[in-house]
Amino acid sequence: MMKRISLKDIAEQVGVSTALVSYVLNNKKEGRISKMVAQKIRETAKKLNYRTNQIAKSLKTNRTFTLGLIVADISNPFSSTLARIIEDEADKIQYTVIFGSSDENAQKFDKLINTFLNRQVDGLIISAPDHSEEQILYLMGQGIPFVLLDRYFPSIPTNYIALDNRQASIVAVDHLIKTGRRKIGMISYDTTLHHLLEREEGYKQSLKKNGIPLNEHWLKKVQISNTRENMEKVMDELLAMDEPIDGLLFASNTIASVGLRYLNTLEIKVPEELAVISYDETEALDLFYSPLIYIRQPLSEMGQKAVELLLKNLDGETTVQQLNLPAELIIRASTIPK
Amino acid sequence: MMKRISLKDIAEQVGVSTALVSYVLNNKKEGRISKMVAQKIRETAKKLNYRTNQIAKSLKTNRTFTLGLIVADISNPFSSTLARIIEDEADKIQYTVIFGSSDENAQKFDKLINTFLNRQVDGLIISAPDHSEEQILYLMGQGIPFVLLDRYFPSIPTNYIALDNRQASIVAVDHLIKTGRRKIGMISYDTTLHHLLEREEGYKQSLKKNGIPLNEHWLKKVQISNTRENMEKVMDELLAMDEPIDGLLFASNTIASVGLRYLNTLEIKVPEELAVISYDETEALDLFYSPLIYIRQPLSEMGQKAVELLLKNLDGETTVQQLNLPAELIIRASTIPK
DNA sequence: CTGAAAGCGCTTACAG
DNA sequence: CTGAAAGCGCTTACAG
């Protein structure tokens, strides 16, 4: 690789100090530097194709303008859509994003945190996996600026941007009931992640509110690490009961995607025999033979607010902000009244 | 934020030089340092929760162990799947990935390159947009290690990992013909991107080989920046011809996704009236009422080879390597014989 | 208007 | 076995 041009090279060519070159290129001390010299410096920088060494600059200024993004899995559309929004927001404030996937694994998550901190990221945006309280508390203890996104821990008083999951489930299940369903199942993950527990709570709450006693067999949980294998089993159970369910809520896009694929292979008619609502939108929903109703998370707003909140923290803001944004139920064909 | 612990802090506590601390923590000069001191240093580092400042290390060693990944759009499943594979491969060699989306725009692409170079990435993995030859040549001129992924320029003799696009189209169209189709359309992008031209060439070549004269109205192009709006128009054209097409090849996952959504709204029966094959797999393909045949790109292999090749370059390898990997036609229901 | 100098936190050739 | 010292490429308080 060719030798990179440094401030020193420019300084030597122009016959000034590196300090002056630095001032000019950073537009510091404007007006207090002779126009002539300033112009000469800029010209020479251009001619030599000078490129700031951000590493050196970061070492000196103690700011890297880098943001660490930890998602569950960047190849999941939910994560990658958020990543894209965050990329765009970060770009607006001159930030670059480094990312990593935790695979819902607290240990991998811990490793990512460490890697990112070693790299001196200015802050982190985090979708935390199950059982990662310790790492979150560590970050707080160290005073590292970060914002939790999507997932959060009610016991930890820290910044987060998330959905109002309980309300989202309530609206969804209310809709199922309003369109004539009474035996409503839900498939969620076997997890202690609070946002999913809230989704389950909302489901139960809606049933209760509408005078439908909860049948405990209606609420199924599948392993996060083993979703595909588990789904067929629990769906068979839900559909093979004495009184099979006539409404179903999927708690995530992955659950929905796998579930719909399986439904495609069955004789069940959606929405006539089984009305389905899914959390999150994926293109899969549109291509299912009966376009699905879904709970749309305000991803753009979530990503924007997360970056905005992180930036506030980088700028010294210390008050904690917690946001549970409302979801929107997108109503299409899959729950026409019976 | 709390003061970060530096080598100096450890050195002071233990009563040795920073040099020694550095040697111990980096496992340099093993055996030439007294066990006692080494252990004391390690203990103290642990006790103080020492964290290497990678920025300082990078400045000194001139290596950041950071890799820049430029994709078309991280929120597109094709990009995010590759990103995930690259993340995993990079992790194996202790690399972190910073990413950016070019949106198929040469100017944004140029900006990303500059940002990443300022940040002293050790190398780049690039899905280049249309008309970005200049930037690629610049990278070559500067001797920056990089590997093109998915897209490449035949006129530029540089490392790339891509698909054998021509052959992939040939196999796909051959299959359509073999199963009884004679009027075969293709929808591609309006672009000069070589990999798409190859896909088109393969399509034409198969028709020719099979004695079917090309009807120039069969090959449609849509704007990359405006895919959704364009698709309905060209599909209407293809299906409203005096002799409507009975076979169709989609040149990308986005084209397929939009196209299938539109087909869903029409009366056309797939595959009976129209046999469809798509490039790339997306979950959407599975949920279309007639599971689609598709051209599967070996994404894992592509991502792995890209990182492997980049690593070779970082280690000083200078011979250019160009790989066109074979695709696989995944045959399912959507082209049963007429 | 401009420069000499210190220092960010590391690594490493050299000396002993 | 260990340390003093230089230096990576910047920024910036200070002095003039």
Side-chain angles (χ1 to χ4, degrees):
Chain A
M1 190 156 357
M2 294 165 66
K3 182 190 173 309
R4 297 251 167 95
I5 303 297
S6 70
L7 285 187
K8 206 170 152 207
D9 298 314
I10 300 174
E12 278 169 7
Q13 278 230 5
V14 182
V16 295
S17 70
T18 57
L20 204 50
V21 179
S22 171
Y23 290 137
V24 170
L25 296 183
N26 288 300
N27 299 312
K28 294 267 174 75
K29 303 207 178 192
E30 292 198 71
R32 307 215 277 128
I33 295 167
S34 88
K35 298 258 184 248
M36 283 279 296
V37 175
Q39 193 179 341
K40 190 82 191 294
I41 288 173
R42 282 187 230 281
E43 274 169 9
T44 309
K46 186 140 206 171
K47 198 182 70 197
L48 297 180
N49 189 27
Y50 172 70
R51 193 183 278 300
T52 306
N53 183 329
Q54 286 289 351
I55 297 293
K57 188 170 190 164
S58 293
L59 180 60
K60 182 67 191 164
T61 60
N62 211 21
R63 251 189 126 158
T64 55
F65 286 93
T66 300
L67 175 170
L69 171 66
I70 303 183
V71 295
D73 176 4
I74 193 69
S75 71
N76 181 299
F78 180 80
S79 296
S80 67
T81 303
L82 276 176
R84 179 55 205 265
I85 294 157
I86 288 166
E87 176 197 344
D88 288 349
E89 292 303 307
D91 184 58
K92 288 181 193 162
I93 54 171
Q94 257 78 263
Y95 265 73
T96 302
V97 182
I98 65 183
F99 76 91
S101 307
S102 77
D103 284 327
E104 306 289 4
N105 176 324
Q107 253 179 308
K108 272 196 91 171
F109 179 69
D110 186 66
K111 198 170 156 252
L112 283 169
I113 297 255
N114 278 306
T115 304
F116 288 1
L117 291 184
N118 287 351
R119 283 162 188 279
Q120 313 293 122
V121 294
D122 292 339
L124 294 159
I125 292 181
I126 294 172
S127 282
D130 214 0
H131 308 303
S132 61
E133 285 90 342
E134 194 186 321
Q135 283 79 20
I136 303 300
L137 288 170
Y138 171 76
L139 291 175
M140 286 184 74
Q142 297 289 307
I144 315 250
F146 71 98
V147 173
L148 297 185
L149 183 58
D150 180 40
R151 293 97 176 276
Y152 62 103
F153 302 95
S155 61
I156 305 182
T158 190
N159 294 312
Y160 71 73
I161 308 288
L163 196 70
D164 185 344
N165 295 287
R166 185 186 297 264
Q167 186 58 26
S169 281
I170 291 177
V171 170
V173 177
D174 279 0
H175 180 80
L176 287 173
I177 294 169
K178 216 179 306 167
T179 52
R181 320 295 157 168
R182 306 282 301 172
K183 291 162 293 182
I184 298 169
M186 174 174 189
I187 302 181
S188 181
Y189 285 117
D190 183 15
T191 174
T192 68
L193 279 169
H194 187 67
H195 73 300
L196 285 167
L197 298 183
E198 283 184 328
R199 292 180 188 180
E200 295 165 19
E201 283 307 316
Y203 157 80
K204 289 181 194 165
Q205 210 169 315
S206 169
L207 290 182
K208 191 166 179 187
K209 190 180 74 178
N210 288 283
I212 301 178
L214 172 69
N215 177 333
E216 61 175 14
H217 297 296
W218 286 350
L219 178 55
K220 298 291 186 189
K221 317 249 195 165
V222 295
Q223 302 295 321
I224 287 186
S225 55
N226 214 1
T227 309
R228 278 161 216 283
E229 287 68 17
N230 282 206
M231 280 295 293
E232 301 197 1
K233 182 163 157 287
V234 303
M235 290 194 52
D236 283 343
E237 287 169 10
L238 285 170
L239 298 168
M241 294 171 45
D242 288 346
E243 285 196 292
I245 56 167
D246 57 9
L248 180 57
L249 176 61
F250 289 130
S252 87
N253 65 340
T254 303
I255 288 177
S257 169
V258 178
L260 291 179
R261 217 166 297 191
Y262 188 53
L263 274 180
N264 245 352
T265 70
L266 303 178
E267 297 291 296
I268 314 264
K269 276 208 179 122
V270 176
E272 293 81 357
E273 296 171 329
L274 181 67
V276 177
I277 297 185
S278 161
Y279 260 86
D280 302 332
E281 55 192 312
T282 66
E283 56 178 5
L285 300 188
D286 284 340
L287 290 171
F288 188 64
Y289 64 87
S290 164
L292 235 64
I293 296 205
Y294 62 92
I295 294 167
R296 178 194 282 161
Q297 301 201 40
L299 296 183
S300 289
E301 197 182 351
M302 286 166 68
Q304 281 166 17
K305 293 254 191 239
V307 174
E308 188 186 307
L309 184 50
L310 183 62
L311 185 65
K312 270 191 198 158
N313 270 255
L314 296 174
D315 289 344
E317 172 75 51
T318 54
T319 55
V320 168
Q321 194 176 333
Q322 307 188 324
L323 230 55
N324 286 90
L325 298 167
E328 188 184 356
L329 189 67
I330 306 296
I331 298 179
R332 301 190 296 185
S334 74
T335 59
I336 50 169
K338 279 215 228 193
Chain B
M1 188 157 356
M2 293 165 65
K3 182 191 173 309
R4 296 252 167 93
I5 303 297
S6 72
L7 284 187
K8 206 170 152 208
D9 297 315
I10 300 174
E12 277 169 7
Q13 277 230 5
V14 181
V16 294
S17 70
T18 58
L20 204 51
V21 178
S22 172
Y23 289 137
V24 170
L25 297 183
N26 287 301
N27 299 312
K28 294 268 175 73
K29 302 208 177 189
E30 293 199 70
R32 307 215 277 129
I33 294 167
S34 89
K35 298 262 184 241
M36 282 280 296
V37 175
Q39 193 179 342
K40 190 80 190 294
I41 289 172
R42 280 188 232 280
E43 275 169 8
T44 309
K46 185 138 207 172
K47 196 181 73 197
L48 296 180
N49 189 27
Y50 173 69
R51 192 183 280 299
T52 306
N53 183 328
Q54 286 289 350
I55 297 292
K57 189 170 190 163
S58 292
L59 179 60
K60 181 68 190 163
T61 60
N62 212 18
R63 251 191 125 156
T64 56
F65 286 93
T66 300
L67 175 170
L69 171 66
I70 303 182
V71 295
D73 176 4
I74 194 69
S75 71
N76 181 300
F78 181 79
S79 296
S80 67
T81 303
L82 276 176
R84 178 54 204 265
I85 294 157
I86 288 166
E87 175 197 345
D88 289 349
E89 292 302 308
D91 183 59
K92 288 182 193 161
I93 54 172
Q94 257 78 264
Y95 266 73
T96 302
V97 183
I98 65 183
F99 76 91
S101 307
S102 77
D103 284 328
E104 306 289 3
N105 177 323
Q107 251 179 309
K108 271 195 90 172
F109 179 69
D110 186 66
K111 198 169 157 252
L112 283 170
I113 298 253
N114 278 306
T115 304
F116 289 1
L117 291 183
N118 286 352
R119 282 162 189 279
Q120 312 293 123
V121 294
D122 291 339
L124 293 159
I125 293 181
I126 294 171
S127 282
D130 213 0
H131 308 303
S132 60
E133 286 90 341
E134 194 185 321
Q135 283 79 20
I136 303 299
L137 289 169
Y138 172 76
L139 292 175
M140 286 183 73
Q142 297 288 309
I144 315 251
F146 72 97
V147 173
L148 297 184
L149 182 58
D150 179 41
R151 293 97 176 277
Y152 61 104
F153 303 95
S155 62
I156 305 181
T158 188
N159 294 311
Y160 71 73
I161 308 288
L163 196 70
D164 186 342
N165 295 286
R166 183 185 299 264
Q167 186 58 25
S169 281
I170 291 177
V171 170
V173 177
D174 279 0
H175 181 80
L176 288 172
I177 295 169
K178 217 180 305 167
T179 53
R181 321 293 157 170
R182 307 282 301 172
K183 292 161 293 182
I184 299 169
M186 175 173 187
I187 303 180
S188 182
Y189 285 116
D190 182 14
T191 174
T192 68
L193 279 169
H194 187 66
H195 74 298
L196 285 167
L197 298 183
E198 283 185 328
R199 292 180 189 180
E200 295 166 18
E201 282 307 316
Y203 156 80
K204 290 181 194 164
Q205 210 169 313
S206 170
L207 290 182
K208 189 167 179 186
K209 190 179 76 179
N210 288 284
I212 301 177
L214 173 69
N215 178 333
E216 60 176 15
H217 298 296
W218 286 349
L219 177 55
K220 298 291 186 191
K221 316 247 196 169
V222 295
Q223 302 296 320
I224 287 187
S225 54
N226 215 1
T227 309
R228 278 162 216 282
E229 286 69 17
N230 281 208
M231 281 295 294
E232 300 197 1
K233 180 163 156 288
V234 302
M235 290 193 53
D236 283 344
E237 286 170 12
L238 285 170
L239 296 168
M241 293 170 45
D242 288 346
E243 286 196 291
I245 56 167
D246 56 10
L248 180 57
L249 176 61
F250 289 129
S252 87
N253 65 341
T254 302
I255 289 177
S257 170
V258 178
L260 291 179
R261 218 166 297 193
Y262 187 53
L263 273 180
N264 245 353
T265 70
L266 303 179
E267 297 290 296
I268 313 262
K269 276 208 178 123
V270 175
E272 292 80 359
E273 295 172 332
L274 181 67
V276 177
I277 297 186
S278 161
Y279 262 85
D280 303 332
E281 54 193 313
T282 67
E283 55 177 7
L285 300 188
D286 284 340
L287 291 171
F288 188 64
Y289 66 87
S290 165
L292 235 65
I293 296 202
Y294 63 92
I295 294 167
R296 176 195 283 161
Q297 300 203 41
L299 297 182
S300 290
E301 198 182 350
M302 286 167 67
Q304 282 166 17
K305 294 255 191 237
V307 175
E308 188 186 306
L309 183 51
L310 183 62
L311 185 64
K312 269 190 198 158
N313 270 255
L314 296 175
D315 290 345
E317 172 76 52
T318 54
T319 56
V320 168
Q321 195 175 330
Q322 307 188 325
L323 230 53
N324 287 89
L325 298 168
E328 188 184 355
L329 190 68
I330 307 296
I331 298 179
R332 301 189 296 185
S334 74
T335 60
I336 51 169
K338 280 215 230 193

